[in-house]
PDB file of all heavy atoms in Angstrom:
ATOM      1  N   MET A1405     -47.047 -28.426  61.618  1.00  0.00           N
ATOM      2  CA  MET A1405     -46.930 -28.959  60.275  1.00  0.00           C
ATOM      3  C   MET A1405     -47.726 -28.260  59.287  1.00  0.00           C
ATOM      4  O   MET A1405     -48.891 -27.948  59.480  1.00  0.00           O
ATOM      5  CB  MET A1405     -47.350 -30.476  60.215  1.00  0.00           C
ATOM      6  CG  MET A1405     -47.318 -31.078  58.840  1.00  0.00           C
ATOM      7  SD  MET A1405     -47.907 -32.946  58.988  1.00  0.00           S
ATOM      8  CE  MET A1405     -47.743 -33.297  57.214  1.00  0.00           C
ATOM      9  N   CYS A1406     -46.996 -27.775  58.278  1.00  0.00           N
ATOM     10  CA  CYS A1406     -47.759 -26.979  57.291  1.00  0.00           C
ATOM     11  C   CYS A1406     -48.408 -27.842  56.264  1.00  0.00           C
ATOM     12  O   CYS A1406     -47.802 -28.561  55.533  1.00  0.00           O
ATOM     13  CB  CYS A1406     -46.813 -25.978  56.669  1.00  0.00           C
ATOM     14  SG  CYS A1406     -47.630 -24.825  55.509  1.00  0.00           S
ATOM     15  N   GLU A1407     -49.750 -27.669  56.031  1.00  0.00           N
ATOM     16  CA  GLU A1407     -50.460 -28.554  55.129  1.00  0.00           C
ATOM     17  C   GLU A1407     -51.336 -27.673  54.182  1.00  0.00           C
ATOM     18  O   GLU A1407     -52.021 -28.139  53.318  1.00  0.00           O
ATOM     19  CB  GLU A1407     -51.359 -29.417  55.783  1.00  0.00           C
ATOM     20  CG  GLU A1407     -50.619 -30.510  56.778  1.00  0.00           C
ATOM     21  CD  GLU A1407     -51.635 -31.515  57.301  1.00  0.00           C
ATOM     22  OE1 GLU A1407     -52.679 -31.349  57.260  1.00  0.00           O
ATOM     23  OE2 GLU A1407     -51.068 -32.371  58.034  1.00  0.00           O
ATOM     24  N   PHE A1408     -51.073 -26.263  54.206  1.00  0.00           N
ATOM     25  CA  PHE A1408     -51.857 -25.537  53.249  1.00  0.00           C
ATOM     26  C   PHE A1408     -51.336 -25.808  51.918  1.00  0.00           C
ATOM     27  O   PHE A1408     -50.172 -25.897  51.581  1.00  0.00           O
ATOM     28  CB  PHE A1408     -51.643 -24.023  53.493  1.00  0.00           C
ATOM     29  CG  PHE A1408     -52.151 -23.448  54.692  1.00  0.00           C
ATOM     30  CD1 PHE A1408     -51.605 -23.288  55.776  1.00  0.00           C
ATOM     31  CD2 PHE A1408     -53.584 -23.143  54.631  1.00  0.00           C
ATOM     32  CE1 PHE A1408     -52.201 -22.797  57.014  1.00  0.00           C
ATOM     33  CE2 PHE A1408     -54.313 -22.577  55.807  1.00  0.00           C
ATOM     34  CZ  PHE A1408     -53.628 -22.434  56.970  1.00  0.00           C
ATOM     35  N   SER A1409     -52.333 -26.030  50.989  1.00  0.00           N
ATOM     36  CA  SER A1409     -51.937 -26.380  49.591  1.00  0.00           C
ATOM     37  C   SER A1409     -51.344 -25.122  48.774  1.00  0.00           C
ATOM     38  O   SER A1409     -51.572 -24.065  49.204  1.00  0.00           O
ATOM     39  CB  SER A1409     -53.016 -26.955  48.773  1.00  0.00           C
ATOM     40  OG  SER A1409     -54.074 -25.745  48.654  1.00  0.00           O
ATOM     41  N   GLY A1410     -50.564 -25.412  47.847  1.00  0.00           N
ATOM     42  CA  GLY A1410     -50.012 -24.274  46.969  1.00  0.00           C
ATOM     43  C   GLY A1410     -51.091 -23.455  46.360  1.00  0.00           C
ATOM     44  O   GLY A1410     -52.019 -24.024  45.849  1.00  0.00           O
ATOM     45  N   ALA A1411     -50.928 -22.214  46.480  1.00  0.00           N
ATOM     46  CA  ALA A1411     -51.866 -21.221  45.868  1.00  0.00           C
ATOM     47  C   ALA A1411     -51.320 -20.646  44.667  1.00  0.00           C
ATOM     48  O   ALA A1411     -50.092 -20.233  44.673  1.00  0.00           O
ATOM     49  CB  ALA A1411     -52.286 -20.096  46.891  1.00  0.00           C
ATOM     50  N   ALA A1412     -52.024 -20.650  43.507  1.00  0.00           N
ATOM     51  CA  ALA A1412     -51.378 -20.143  42.238  1.00  0.00           C
ATOM     52  C   ALA A1412     -51.317 -18.659  42.244  1.00  0.00           C
ATOM     53  O   ALA A1412     -52.146 -17.923  42.887  1.00  0.00           O
ATOM     54  CB  ALA A1412     -52.278 -20.582  41.098  1.00  0.00           C
ATOM     55  N   ILE A1413     -50.312 -18.086  41.753  1.00  0.00           N
ATOM     56  CA  ILE A1413     -50.140 -16.631  41.624  1.00  0.00           C
ATOM     57  C   ILE A1413     -50.732 -16.279  40.431  1.00  0.00           C
ATOM     58  O   ILE A1413     -50.480 -16.504  39.368  1.00  0.00           O
ATOM     59  CB  ILE A1413     -48.603 -16.264  41.667  1.00  0.00           C
ATOM     60  CG1 ILE A1413     -47.909 -16.857  42.899  1.00  0.00           C
ATOM     61  CG2 ILE A1413     -48.405 -14.842  41.537  1.00  0.00           C
ATOM     62  CD1 ILE A1413     -48.424 -16.326  44.199  1.00  0.00           C
ATOM     63  N   GLY A1414     -51.715 -15.379  40.601  1.00  0.00           N
ATOM     64  CA  GLY A1414     -52.569 -14.837  39.448  1.00  0.00           C
ATOM     65  C   GLY A1414     -51.815 -13.706  38.662  1.00  0.00           C
ATOM     66  O   GLY A1414     -50.769 -13.329  39.044  1.00  0.00           O
ATOM     67  N   SER A1415     -52.420 -13.237  37.634  1.00  0.00           N
ATOM     68  CA  SER A1415     -51.823 -12.064  36.882  1.00  0.00           C
ATOM     69  C   SER A1415     -51.886 -10.735  37.789  1.00  0.00           C
ATOM     70  O   SER A1415     -52.773 -10.667  38.719  1.00  0.00           O
ATOM     71  CB  SER A1415     -52.617 -11.844  35.590  1.00  0.00           C
ATOM     72  OG  SER A1415     -54.038 -11.706  35.955  1.00  0.00           O
ATOM     73  N   LEU A1416     -50.946 -10.054  37.466  1.00  0.00           N
ATOM     74  CA  LEU A1416     -50.774  -8.658  38.363  1.00  0.00           C
ATOM     75  C   LEU A1416     -51.838  -7.678  38.039  1.00  0.00           C
ATOM     76  O   LEU A1416     -51.291  -6.738  37.381  1.00  0.00           O
ATOM     77  CB  LEU A1416     -49.403  -8.274  38.421  1.00  0.00           C
ATOM     78  CG  LEU A1416     -48.343  -9.429  38.811  1.00  0.00           C
ATOM     79  CD1 LEU A1416     -46.926  -8.782  38.795  1.00  0.00           C
ATOM     80  CD2 LEU A1416     -48.579  -9.869  40.205  1.00  0.00           C
ATOM     81  N   PHE A1417     -53.026  -7.922  38.326  1.00  0.00           N
ATOM     82  CA  PHE A1417     -53.963  -6.815  38.076  1.00  0.00           C
ATOM     83  C   PHE A1417     -54.427  -6.335  39.494  1.00  0.00           C
ATOM     84  O   PHE A1417     -54.538  -7.100  40.521  1.00  0.00           O
ATOM     85  CB  PHE A1417     -55.162  -7.266  37.246  1.00  0.00           C
ATOM     86  CG  PHE A1417     -55.956  -8.389  37.882  1.00  0.00           C
ATOM     87  CD1 PHE A1417     -57.104  -8.155  38.575  1.00  0.00           C
ATOM     88  CD2 PHE A1417     -55.624  -9.726  37.638  1.00  0.00           C
ATOM     89  CE1 PHE A1417     -57.867  -9.060  39.246  1.00  0.00           C
ATOM     90  CE2 PHE A1417     -56.327 -10.818  38.283  1.00  0.00           C
ATOM     91  CZ  PHE A1417     -57.416 -10.418  39.025  1.00  0.00           C
ATOM     92  N   PRO A1418     -55.037  -4.951  39.544  1.00  0.00           N
ATOM     93  CA  PRO A1418     -55.156  -4.329  40.818  1.00  0.00           C
ATOM     94  C   PRO A1418     -56.479  -4.859  41.505  1.00  0.00           C
ATOM     95  O   PRO A1418     -57.284  -3.929  41.922  1.00  0.00           O
ATOM     96  CB  PRO A1418     -55.091  -2.960  40.560  1.00  0.00           C
ATOM     97  CG  PRO A1418     -55.471  -2.827  39.145  1.00  0.00           C
ATOM     98  CD  PRO A1418     -55.006  -4.037  38.428  1.00  0.00           C
ATOM     99  N   ARG A1419     -56.848  -6.059  41.556  1.00  0.00           N
ATOM    100  CA  ARG A1419     -58.075  -6.504  42.126  1.00  0.00           C
ATOM    101  C   ARG A1419     -57.904  -6.359  43.705  1.00  0.00           C
ATOM    102  O   ARG A1419     -56.915  -6.683  44.261  1.00  0.00           O
ATOM    103  CB  ARG A1419     -58.390  -7.923  41.936  1.00  0.00           C
ATOM    104  CG  ARG A1419     -59.668  -8.492  42.581  1.00  0.00           C
ATOM    105  CD  ARG A1419     -59.855  -9.919  42.145  1.00  0.00           C
ATOM    106  NE  ARG A1419     -61.012 -10.411  42.854  1.00  0.00           N
ATOM    107  CZ  ARG A1419     -61.497 -11.690  42.711  1.00  0.00           C
ATOM    108  NH1 ARG A1419     -60.924 -12.519  41.908  1.00  0.00           N
ATOM    109  NH2 ARG A1419     -62.640 -12.111  43.386  1.00  0.00           N
ATOM    110  N   GLY A1420     -58.814  -5.654  44.382  1.00  0.00           N
ATOM    111  CA  GLY A1420     -58.851  -5.467  45.823  1.00  0.00           C
ATOM    112  C   GLY A1420     -58.164  -4.086  46.016  1.00  0.00           C
ATOM    113  O   GLY A1420     -58.214  -3.624  47.175  1.00  0.00           O
ATOM    114  N   VAL A1421     -57.539  -3.462  45.012  1.00  0.00           N
ATOM    115  CA  VAL A1421     -57.054  -2.115  45.106  1.00  0.00           C
ATOM    116  C   VAL A1421     -58.045  -1.139  44.411  1.00  0.00           C
ATOM    117  O   VAL A1421     -57.970  -1.066  43.189  1.00  0.00           O
ATOM    118  CB  VAL A1421     -55.646  -1.890  44.568  1.00  0.00           C
ATOM    119  CG1 VAL A1421     -55.054  -0.515  44.782  1.00  0.00           C
ATOM    120  CG2 VAL A1421     -54.805  -2.998  45.188  1.00  0.00           C
ATOM    121  N   ARG A1422     -58.837  -0.523  45.074  1.00  0.00           N
ATOM    122  CA  ARG A1422     -60.174   0.087  44.472  1.00  0.00           C
ATOM    123  C   ARG A1422     -59.989   1.580  44.112  1.00  0.00           C
ATOM    124  O   ARG A1422     -59.165   2.200  44.785  1.00  0.00           O
ATOM    125  CB  ARG A1422     -61.268  -0.343  45.235  1.00  0.00           C
ATOM    126  CG  ARG A1422     -61.386  -1.639  45.592  1.00  0.00           C
ATOM    127  CD  ARG A1422     -62.629  -1.941  46.475  1.00  0.00           C
ATOM    128  NE  ARG A1422     -62.678  -3.375  46.857  1.00  0.00           N
ATOM    129  CZ  ARG A1422     -63.711  -4.087  47.506  1.00  0.00           C
ATOM    130  NH1 ARG A1422     -64.762  -3.302  47.676  1.00  0.00           N
ATOM    131  NH2 ARG A1422     -63.652  -5.363  47.718  1.00  0.00           N
ATOM    132  N   PRO A1423     -60.975   2.082  43.300  1.00  0.00           N
ATOM    133  CA  PRO A1423     -60.890   3.418  42.956  1.00  0.00           C
ATOM    134  C   PRO A1423     -61.141   4.258  44.088  1.00  0.00           C
ATOM    135  O   PRO A1423     -61.742   3.862  45.131  1.00  0.00           O
ATOM    136  CB  PRO A1423     -62.002   3.497  41.900  1.00  0.00           C
ATOM    137  CG  PRO A1423     -62.042   2.154  41.226  1.00  0.00           C
ATOM    138  CD  PRO A1423     -61.731   1.311  42.432  1.00  0.00           C
ATOM    139  N   ALA A1424     -60.613   5.563  44.043  1.00  0.00           N
ATOM    140  CA  ALA A1424     -60.674   6.407  45.197  1.00  0.00           C
ATOM    141  C   ALA A1424     -62.045   6.563  45.739  1.00  0.00           C
ATOM    142  O   ALA A1424     -62.329   7.049  46.954  1.00  0.00           O
ATOM    143  CB  ALA A1424     -59.948   7.760  45.042  1.00  0.00           C
ATOM    144  N   ASN A1425     -63.162   6.650  44.938  1.00  0.00           N
ATOM    145  CA  ASN A1425     -64.451   6.958  45.349  1.00  0.00           C
ATOM    146  C   ASN A1425     -65.245   5.777  45.943  1.00  0.00           C
ATOM    147  O   ASN A1425     -66.357   5.915  46.304  1.00  0.00           O
ATOM    148  CB  ASN A1425     -65.212   7.430  44.205  1.00  0.00           C
ATOM    149  CG  ASN A1425     -65.338   6.571  43.037  1.00  0.00           C
ATOM    150  OD1 ASN A1425     -64.679   5.453  43.035  1.00  0.00           O
ATOM    151  ND2 ASN A1425     -66.232   6.845  42.055  1.00  0.00           N
ATOM    152  N   GLN A1426     -64.572   4.541  46.000  1.00  0.00           N
ATOM    153  CA  GLN A1426     -65.153   3.365  46.556  1.00  0.00           C
ATOM    154  C   GLN A1426     -64.899   3.009  47.975  1.00  0.00           C
ATOM    155  O   GLN A1426     -65.623   2.365  48.673  1.00  0.00           O
ATOM    156  CB  GLN A1426     -64.960   2.220  45.594  1.00  0.00           C
ATOM    157  CG  GLN A1426     -65.487   2.409  44.230  1.00  0.00           C
ATOM    158  CD  GLN A1426     -65.402   1.040  43.467  1.00  0.00           C
ATOM    159  OE1 GLN A1426     -64.985   0.096  43.927  1.00  0.00           O
ATOM    160  NE2 GLN A1426     -65.679   1.203  42.090  1.00  0.00           N
ATOM    161  N   ILE A1427     -63.676   3.458  48.481  1.00  0.00           N
ATOM    162  CA  ILE A1427     -63.393   3.122  49.850  1.00  0.00           C
ATOM    163  C   ILE A1427     -62.917   4.430  50.579  1.00  0.00           C
ATOM    164  O   ILE A1427     -62.540   5.386  49.929  1.00  0.00           O
ATOM    165  CB  ILE A1427     -62.193   2.069  49.874  1.00  0.00           C
ATOM    166  CG1 ILE A1427     -60.979   2.548  49.084  1.00  0.00           C
ATOM    167  CG2 ILE A1427     -62.590   0.768  49.351  1.00  0.00           C
ATOM    168  CD1 ILE A1427     -59.878   1.605  49.058  1.00  0.00           C
ATOM    169  N   GLY A1428     -62.829   4.283  51.889  1.00  0.00           N
ATOM    170  CA  GLY A1428     -62.676   5.432  52.653  1.00  0.00           C
ATOM    171  C   GLY A1428     -61.207   5.826  52.910  1.00  0.00           C
ATOM    172  O   GLY A1428     -60.815   6.835  52.623  1.00  0.00           O
ATOM    173  N   GLU A1429     -60.423   4.974  53.460  1.00  0.00           N
ATOM    174  CA  GLU A1429     -59.002   5.282  54.029  1.00  0.00           C
ATOM    175  C   GLU A1429     -58.074   5.045  52.830  1.00  0.00           C
ATOM    176  O   GLU A1429     -57.404   4.010  52.832  1.00  0.00           O
ATOM    177  CB  GLU A1429     -58.693   4.527  55.227  1.00  0.00           C
ATOM    178  CG  GLU A1429     -57.380   5.104  55.898  1.00  0.00           C
ATOM    179  CD  GLU A1429     -57.042   4.348  57.196  1.00  0.00           C
ATOM    180  OE1 GLU A1429     -57.623   4.570  58.117  1.00  0.00           O
ATOM    181  OE2 GLU A1429     -56.217   3.463  56.996  1.00  0.00           O
ATOM    182  N   ILE A1430     -57.994   5.923  51.858  1.00  0.00           N
ATOM    183  CA  ILE A1430     -57.190   5.661  50.768  1.00  0.00           C
ATOM    184  C   ILE A1430     -56.478   7.080  50.376  1.00  0.00           C
ATOM    185  O   ILE A1430     -56.806   8.103  50.976  1.00  0.00           O
ATOM    186  CB  ILE A1430     -57.876   5.201  49.515  1.00  0.00           C
ATOM    187  CG1 ILE A1430     -59.076   6.232  49.148  1.00  0.00           C
ATOM    188  CG2 ILE A1430     -58.490   3.799  49.715  1.00  0.00           C
ATOM    189  CD1 ILE A1430     -59.778   5.813  47.950  1.00  0.00           C
ATOM    190  N   VAL A1431     -55.468   6.893  49.582  1.00  0.00           N
ATOM    191  CA  VAL A1431     -54.873   8.077  48.990  1.00  0.00           C
ATOM    192  C   VAL A1431     -54.588   7.988  47.482  1.00  0.00           C
ATOM    193  O   VAL A1431     -54.175   6.988  47.018  1.00  0.00           O
ATOM    194  CB  VAL A1431     -53.484   8.376  49.805  1.00  0.00           C
ATOM    195  CG1 VAL A1431     -52.527   7.263  49.785  1.00  0.00           C
ATOM    196  CG2 VAL A1431     -52.732   9.693  49.229  1.00  0.00           C
ATOM    197  N   SER A1432     -54.930   9.020  46.846  1.00  0.00           N
ATOM    198  CA  SER A1432     -54.685   9.025  45.304  1.00  0.00           C
ATOM    199  C   SER A1432     -53.314   9.299  45.075  1.00  0.00           C
ATOM    200  O   SER A1432     -52.553   9.757  45.863  1.00  0.00           O
ATOM    201  CB  SER A1432     -55.655  10.062  44.669  1.00  0.00           C
ATOM    202  OG  SER A1432     -55.236  11.273  44.971  1.00  0.00           O
ATOM    203  N   LYS A1433     -52.924   9.101  43.781  1.00  0.00           N
ATOM    204  CA  LYS A1433     -51.600   9.386  43.353  1.00  0.00           C
ATOM    205  C   LYS A1433     -51.211  10.790  43.418  1.00  0.00           C
ATOM    206  O   LYS A1433     -50.002  11.133  43.733  1.00  0.00           O
ATOM    207  CB  LYS A1433     -51.440   9.067  41.864  1.00  0.00           C
ATOM    208  CG  LYS A1433     -50.099   9.230  41.189  1.00  0.00           C
ATOM    209  CD  LYS A1433     -50.093   8.744  39.789  1.00  0.00           C
ATOM    210  CE  LYS A1433     -48.709   9.152  38.966  1.00  0.00           C
ATOM    211  NZ  LYS A1433     -47.588   8.590  39.748  1.00  0.00           N
ATOM    212  N   THR A1434     -52.101  11.724  43.294  1.00  0.00           N
ATOM    213  CA  THR A1434     -51.826  13.163  43.428  1.00  0.00           C
ATOM    214  C   THR A1434     -51.692  13.607  44.811  1.00  0.00           C
ATOM    215  O   THR A1434     -51.194  14.704  45.042  1.00  0.00           O
ATOM    216  CB  THR A1434     -52.990  14.003  42.667  1.00  0.00           C
ATOM    217  OG1 THR A1434     -54.246  13.730  43.392  1.00  0.00           O
ATOM    218  CG2 THR A1434     -53.046  13.553  41.247  1.00  0.00           C
ATOM    219  N   GLN A1435     -52.108  12.907  45.876  1.00  0.00           N
ATOM    220  CA  GLN A1435     -51.874  13.380  47.147  1.00  0.00           C
ATOM    221  C   GLN A1435     -50.589  12.885  47.668  1.00  0.00           C
ATOM    222  O   GLN A1435     -49.976  11.969  47.315  1.00  0.00           O
ATOM    223  CB  GLN A1435     -52.987  12.796  48.053  1.00  0.00           C
ATOM    224  CG  GLN A1435     -54.492  13.209  47.794  1.00  0.00           C
ATOM    225  CD  GLN A1435     -55.456  12.443  48.714  1.00  0.00           C
ATOM    226  OE1 GLN A1435     -55.557  11.241  48.589  1.00  0.00           O
ATOM    227  NE2 GLN A1435     -56.059  13.274  49.545  1.00  0.00           N
ATOM    228  N   LYS A1436     -50.042  13.889  48.658  1.00  0.00           N
ATOM    229  CA  LYS A1436     -48.705  13.664  49.302  1.00  0.00           C
ATOM    230  C   LYS A1436     -48.748  13.204  50.675  1.00  0.00           C
ATOM    231  O   LYS A1436     -49.342  13.905  51.523  1.00  0.00           O
ATOM    232  CB  LYS A1436     -47.710  14.782  49.065  1.00  0.00           C
ATOM    233  CG  LYS A1436     -47.445  15.161  47.567  1.00  0.00           C
ATOM    234  CD  LYS A1436     -46.549  16.473  47.471  1.00  0.00           C
ATOM    235  CE  LYS A1436     -46.377  16.708  46.014  1.00  0.00           C
ATOM    236  NZ  LYS A1436     -45.489  18.000  45.895  1.00  0.00           N
ATOM    237  N   HIS A1437     -48.254  12.005  50.981  1.00  0.00           N
ATOM    238  CA  HIS A1437     -48.253  11.576  52.392  1.00  0.00           C
ATOM    239  C   HIS A1437     -46.848  10.974  52.794  1.00  0.00           C
ATOM    240  O   HIS A1437     -46.461   9.911  52.169  1.00  0.00           O
ATOM    241  CB  HIS A1437     -49.366  10.537  52.674  1.00  0.00           C
ATOM    242  CG  HIS A1437     -50.721  11.041  52.621  1.00  0.00           C
ATOM    243  ND1 HIS A1437     -51.409  11.409  53.729  1.00  0.00           N
ATOM    244  CD2 HIS A1437     -51.488  11.285  51.514  1.00  0.00           C
ATOM    245  CE1 HIS A1437     -52.642  11.902  53.420  1.00  0.00           C
ATOM    246  NE2 HIS A1437     -52.741  11.750  52.052  1.00  0.00           N
TER     247      HIS A1437
END
């Protein structure tokens, strides 16, 4: 039985998607993978 309450969808800003110098395993827009 699912009882998780509804979670509101926030505005689409990149929270949790961090600048390249802050996290290790990332790729910038200019890199090709």
Side-chain angles (χ1 to χ4, degrees):
M1405 178 178 179
C1406 183
E1407 297 182 357
F1408 286 103
S1409 65
I1413 303 300
S1415 59
L1416 299 182
F1417 61 93
R1419 179 177 177 180
V1421 184
R1422 306 185 183 187
N1425 60 351
Q1426 291 188 14
I1427 57 179
E1429 190 178 280
I1430 55 173
V1431 54
S1432 69
K1433 178 179 172 60
T1434 57
Q1435 293 176 298
K1436 295 182 179 179
H1437 290 266

